[in-house]
Amino acid sequence: MVLVTMLAADALTALFYSIFFSDRFLLDILLCSIIVAVLGYPLGFFFLGQNVKLRKLTQELDRVARFDDLTGLYNRRTFFHECETGRADQAAGAFLYADADHFKQLNDRFGHMAGDAVLSRLGAAIASCIREGDLAARLGGEEFGIFLIDADLPMALVIAERIRRKSAHIRVGGDENDFKATVSIGIAVREPGQPLEDLMARADENLYAAKQQGRDRVVSNASRVNAA
C-alpha cells in the first residue's frame, strides 16, 4: 500500500514539476518519496494492526454467539438453528437428552464453582464421545442435548453408554465422601418426517424414566418396553 502510494505521489510530482519546475525535479521526487515513506509505513502498520484486531474481535463475537462459554458445546440457540434449518434439518438420527444427576446437591454441598467445573468436564466428556458431524449443546442448567446424525438405536445406545461411563469418572471432593457426577440419558430415534419438538419430547420422557429407575442409566423406548 505504501509502495503504491509512493509511486502515485512520485508520478504526480513528476507531472507537476515537468510543467512548472523542471530544474528541481530530482530533488523534489526524492523529498516526496521520503515524506511518503516516513508517514506511510507507520500508518500502514497501524491500520494493519487495527484490521487484525477487528478480525480477532469478530471471531470472538462469533464464538460467544454460537457456543456455551462454560462447556465449549453449542449454546441452545445455535443447536436449534442447526437442527431446524442447518445440516440436521429433517435428517434421520437419534436425539439424546442428558441430565446431570443430583446436581442441586452438588451445588449445595461443594458450591457453584464446583458445579461449574463439573459442567465443564461433562461438556468435554460429551464432545469426546460423539462423532464428527454430530451436534451437542448445553440446553440450560445441567441439561444437554445431542443429535446423532444418521444414527440408529444400536449406535445411539453405544454412544450414550460411552458418555455415561466417562461422566462417572468425574469426581468432586477427594475422599471417601466425594461426589460422583453421574448422568441420566433418554434416547429417541427420529421417525421419517418427525418434527424436532416431538423427537425431543420422546427423549425427555425416556430421560424421566431413567431418573425414576434410579439415575445413572440410559433409557430408550425399547428398554422401557422390555422393562414393562
Side-chain angles (χ1 to χ4, degrees), residues 32-136:
C32 181
S33 298
I34 293 173
I35 291 171
V36 171
V38 169
L39 295 178
Y41 275 106
L43 288 174
F45 279 114
F46 171 77
F47 286 113
L48 181 62
Q50 293 299 108
N51 186 52
V52 171
K53 290 180 181 178
L54 181 61
R55 187 179 297 113
K56 289 182 178 179
L57 179 60
T58 301
Q59 292 173 346
E60 178 62 17
L61 290 175
D62 179 67
R63 185 193 67 79
V64 171
R66 299 177 64 223
F67 293 92
D68 175 62
D69 192 54
L70 188 60
T71 63
L73 303 177
Y74 280 140
N75 58 29
R76 184 184 184 91
R77 182 184 66 83
T78 303
F79 180 76
F80 281 108
H81 174 78
E82 291 293 332
C83 287
E84 294 175 337
T85 63
R87 62 182 183 274
D89 180 33
Q90 298 300 316
F95 185 86
L96 276 56
Y97 223 138
D99 186 86
D101 297 325
H102 305 295
F103 195 72
K104 184 178 185 304
Q105 294 180 21
L106 168 64
N107 281 330
D108 292 343
R109 182 177 171 188
F110 295 98
H112 289 278
M113 289 187 65
D116 287 349
V118 168
L119 290 176
S120 178
R121 294 180 65 185
L122 284 175
I126 291 171
S128 69
C129 292
I130 61 178
R131 307 161 305 168
E132 184 177 358
D134 291 333
L135 307 174

